[in-house]
């Protein structure tokens, strides 16, 4: 999970401040150490009582430095834990936001399709349940119901901007851009590459798109374009010369 530029900048500032404070602690420690070293370089003819007082002063000074250093380190650790907690909290919130966005997007994208397929399944179950017992009556009933089912599928597709298209009856010209050919042998060369019949219709999908903004900042209106989702499947005559 990535943080935003603003969040990264804020964290860098906090870490820089912590680094500066640690540097100041190290400087203070080195200064105290230098003071102790300077004391050791003093006059060796210090009286016994003066030496004891000096040792006591040194011990007290060292203890004071250690206490200050320990307190500063504890504070730095608390600050660091606080920063890490903030980072972890932001990551968790971003992960939750992303999960919610993914679930919402998937639901919006798939729910309409699923509802239509469920409805189609209900229709097919109804056809099976109401199928007459007699063979003749059943055949006529099923033929009618299957025709209605195919019409229902076309209606469902139209709800998603997908339209059926077929060649005009009697038009035998083959269009490779909108049609997919399946060979049907013939010994008549005049029929070669001519369309014999439609096997399955084609489908065209109408999709919206928005053009880029004009130079003056005004946006173009919403427009659309059409794409061949599946070409029409047709049988085409293929001339095969007879062997004599």
């Amino acid at each position: 999970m990535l943080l935003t530029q603003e969040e990264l900048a804020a964290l860098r500032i906090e870490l820089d401040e912590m680094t500066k404070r640690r540097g100041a602690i190290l400087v203070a420690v080195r200064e105290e150490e230098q003071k102790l070293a300077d004391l050791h370089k003093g006059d060796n003819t210090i009286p016994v009582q003066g030496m004891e007082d000096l040792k006591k002063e040194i011990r007290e000074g060292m203890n004071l430095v250690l206490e200050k250093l320990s307190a500063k380190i504890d504070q730095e650790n608390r600050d660091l834990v606080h920063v890490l907690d903030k980072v972890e909290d932001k990551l968790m919130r971003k992960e939750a936001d992303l999960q919610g966005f993914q679930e919402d997007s998937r639901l919006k994208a798939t729910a309409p399709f699923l509802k239509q397929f469920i409805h189609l399944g209900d229709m097919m179950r109804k056809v099976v349940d109401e199928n007459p017992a007699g063979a003749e009556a059943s055949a006529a009933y099923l033929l009618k119901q299957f025709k209605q089912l195919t019409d229902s599928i076309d209606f469902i597709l139209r709800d998603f901007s997908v339209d059926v298209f077929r060649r005009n009856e009697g038009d035998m010209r083959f269009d490779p851009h909108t049609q997919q050919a399946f060979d049907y042998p013939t010994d008549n060369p005049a029929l070669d590459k001519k369309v014999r019949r439609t096997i399955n219709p084609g489908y065209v999908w109408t999709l919206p798109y928005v053009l880029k903004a004009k130079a003056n900042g005004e946006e173009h209106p919403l427009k659309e374009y059409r794409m061949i989702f599946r070409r029409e499947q047709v049988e085409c005559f293929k001339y095969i010369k007879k062997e004599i």
Side-chain angles (χ1 to χ4, degrees), residues 38-227:
D38 293 341
L39 287 174
H40 281 295
K41 292 179 181 179
D43 190 0
N44 293 328
T45 60
I46 300 176
V48 174
Q49 183 60 41
M51 182 64 70
E52 292 297 326
D53 293 340
L54 179 60
K55 289 181 178 179
K56 181 179 179 182
E57 183 181 351
I58 291 173
R59 284 195 298 270
E60 291 176 350
M62 291 180 64
N63 290 335
L64 180 61
V65 170
L66 291 174
E67 289 176 2
K68 290 181 179 180
L69 180 59
S70 178
K72 288 181 178 293
I73 290 176
D74 289 341
Q75 183 60 46
E76 292 298 320
N77 286 335
R78 287 192 293 271
D79 292 342
L80 181 58
V81 170
H82 178 67
V83 171
L84 293 177
D85 287 342
K86 289 172 62 178
V87 172
E88 184 179 4
D89 180 63
K90 289 178 180 179
L91 289 175
M92 291 178 65
R93 283 189 282 111
K94 285 187 173 293
E95 183 177 359
D97 291 342
L98 179 59
Q99 180 69 22
F101 173 76
Q102 289 176 337
E103 292 176 356
D104 186 58
S105 299
R106 180 173 296 180
L107 179 62
K108 289 181 178 179
T110 59
F113 292 94
L114 295 177
K115 289 179 180 178
Q116 294 285 13
F117 280 114
I118 291 171
H119 177 64
L120 185 60
D122 292 340
M123 293 175 62
M124 296 177 70
R125 278 187 290 271
K126 183 179 179 181
V127 169
V128 174
D129 293 340
E130 297 181 359
N131 183 28
E136 184 175 349
S138 175
Y141 170 80
L142 291 177
L143 180 62
K144 178 182 177 181
Q145 295 301 321
F146 275 117
K147 178 64 171 61
Q148 291 180 352
L149 285 172
T150 56
D151 290 341
S152 296
I153 292 174
D154 290 343
F155 286 132
I156 290 173
L157 291 172
R158 275 197 288 273
D159 286 342
F160 297 99
S161 301
V162 178
D163 295 302
V164 179
F165 70 89
R166 294 178 177 85
R167 66 188 178 89
N168 294 328
E169 191 67 29
D171 186 359
M172 299 181 68
R173 293 172 300 175
F174 173 71
D175 182 358
H177 298 290
T178 61
Q179 294 174 325
Q180 178 184 5
F182 294 87
D183 293 338
Y184 186 85
T186 180
D187 57 0
N188 184 353
L191 294 177
D192 189 43
K193 298 181 181 178
K194 301 292 184 181
V195 176
R196 176 176 178 266
R197 70 182 182 97
T198 295
I199 302 174
N200 290 306
Y203 295 90
V204 61
W205 196 2
T206 302
L207 297 172
Y209 73 100
V210 181
L211 298 177
K212 292 183 179 179
K214 296 180 180 178
N216 60 6
E218 296 179 1
E219 295 184 356
H220 287 280
L222 183 68
K223 296 189 176 182
E224 62 186 24
Y225 69 96
R226 290 161 64 86
M227 61 171 286

Side-chain angles (χ1 to χ4, degrees), residues 7-30:
E7 291 170 335
L8 288 173
L11 290 176
R12 290 194 186 99
I13 292 174
E14 292 190 49
L15 291 175
D16 289 342
E17 291 177 353
M18 292 177 64
T19 302
K20 291 178 182 179
R21 291 200 296 269
R22 287 182 180 274
I25 293 174
L26 293 176
V27 171
V29 171
R30 285 195 291 269

